[in-house]
Amino acid sequence: MLHRHLTHQQFTLAAIDDVIARGSRPDWAALRRAALADPAMLEKVLWVCQAHVADPYAQRYHFWKQYAERYLA
């Protein structure tokens, strides 16, 4: 996924936020593969999601938060 304001394609916190907010299914699959390959990536996903879970309509962030928590447990 080309990120709208990033000049690289690494999964930084901003890139993870961008993928969760605007990504399509293939983008989510790439994030999932990266997260399963590196447990530190799951920590980043949790960090990004924490900023959005107060909003009950931010369902994408709720989904990824639960996903990351499940694999970190």
Side-chain angles (χ1 to χ4, degrees):
M1 171 176 180
L2 294 175
H3 303 291
R4 58 196 152 133
H5 59 280
L6 303 175
T7 59
H8 55 78
Q9 296 304 310
Q10 300 168 352
F11 283 113
T12 61
L13 295 175
I16 292 169
D17 189 31
D18 203 29
V19 167
I20 293 173
R22 298 182 329 112
S24 61
R25 186 168 184 194
D27 303 322
W28 279 29
L31 179 59
R32 178 183 177 271
R33 283 190 302 274
L36 291 177
D38 181 12
M41 182 73 65
L42 291 170
E43 294 288 342
K44 287 182 177 183
V45 169
L46 278 176
W47 183 262
V48 168
C49 292
Q50 283 302 106
H52 298 276
V53 294
D55 180 2
Y57 298 105
Q59 294 176 359
R60 291 174 169 232
Y61 292 95
H62 287 275
F63 168 81
W64 277 101
K65 179 180 180 287
Q66 290 178 359
Y67 182 84
E69 287 174 343
R70 177 176 293 185
Y71 280 95
L72 283 173

